[in-house]
Amino acid sequence: MKLGRELTTHEMWKQSHCRKGSRPLDKDLSNSLVSEDDSEGSFEEENLNWVDDRAKETWVNYNGYVVEKYGEEHSELDKDSWSRAVGGVKRGKLYGLSNVSGTRVHVRQDPEIEKLNLVIKELVKEKEDEKERLNGIIAELVAEKEKDKAEKDAMLDRMTNIEAMLKSIVQ
């Protein structure tokens, strides 16, 4: 089936968590193109046959939070509202988002992890500062080496000139 566009969050959830035949897009399986009017807007919520109570409850909660936050017109996934609707991250996962690509959600709930992240950032900053300081020292040493080389070359030139003068005097 081709929609001619990407599925909205609402369509994706209903298609993947309602039983076959009650899903909003099932009635249009025979059509090659689904219009905007035929998708979720005109399909009655009470006709949906959810796969389980959690799927329905999650949808009702999420939809309520999104309507509260944005009003009726919002089709993008709101990760904060979703996290709130499903009760947050459990065992490192956020319920229902495993089938939605590009929705990695990182919710930091542990203050100890946040403290450790701050310590890591401070250590990284200190190491970067130390690296800059050492690069400065290296640059100074390279400049000093070049200066010494130039002085050595000048000294060799003078010695060559003195040697040439002594040879001419001796002859």
Side-chain angles (χ1 to χ4, degrees), residues 12-155:
M12 175 78 77
W13 186 256
K14 290 175 186 176
Q15 282 300 115
S16 61
H17 289 82
C18 289
R19 297 200 186 278
K20 197 172 190 177
S22 76
R23 300 180 299 203
L25 300 177
D26 285 352
K27 66 180 180 160
D28 296 304
L29 282 176
S30 59
N31 298 339
S32 62
L33 188 63
V34 178
S35 71
E36 293 287 330
D37 296 336
D38 287 340
S39 64
E40 76 179 292
S42 63
F43 201 82
E44 306 273 332
E45 287 289 322
E46 59 267 7
N47 292 339
L48 298 174
N49 185 4
W50 296 93
V51 292
D52 60 24
D53 291 337
R54 184 175 186 192
K56 180 179 182 179
E57 184 180 315
T58 299
W59 176 252
V60 170
N61 290 341
Y62 172 72
N63 199 40
Y65 295 141
V66 168
V67 167
E68 176 184 303
K69 189 172 181 178
Y70 300 103
E72 292 291 329
E73 296 296 320
H74 187 75
S75 62
E76 297 290 320
L77 175 66
D78 181 326
K79 292 176 188 173
D80 293 331
S81 295
W82 187 265
S83 180
R84 188 174 160 202
V86 299
V89 175
K90 291 185 178 122
R91 292 188 219 136
K93 296 180 181 178
L94 199 56
Y95 170 73
L97 290 184
S98 62
N99 292 332
V100 182
S101 62
T103 57
R104 293 186 181 143
V105 178
H106 302 282
V107 180
R108 292 185 193 146
Q109 294 180 339
D110 189 353
E112 190 64 28
I113 291 174
E114 290 183 32
K115 287 178 188 175
L116 290 172
N117 283 335
L118 289 174
V119 168
I120 290 169
K121 284 181 183 176
E122 283 181 32
L123 289 172
V124 168
K125 174 81 168 108
E126 286 176 15
K127 293 298 175 190
E128 288 173 354
D129 291 346
E130 183 70 11
K131 183 179 175 182
E132 281 185 44
R133 188 182 73 76
L134 290 174
N135 283 339
I137 291 171
I138 290 170
E140 288 174 13
L141 289 172
V142 167
E144 197 174 309
K145 180 181 172 187
E146 291 296 321
K147 179 181 171 190
D148 287 348
K149 184 178 185 283
E151 288 175 1
K152 179 183 170 190
D153 288 345
M155 182 80 74

Side-chain angles (χ1 to χ4, degrees), residues 150-161:
E151 288 175 1
K152 179 183 170 190
D153 288 345
M155 182 80 74
L156 285 174
D157 282 346
R158 277 188 242 133
M159 287 177 62
T160 303
N161 288 342

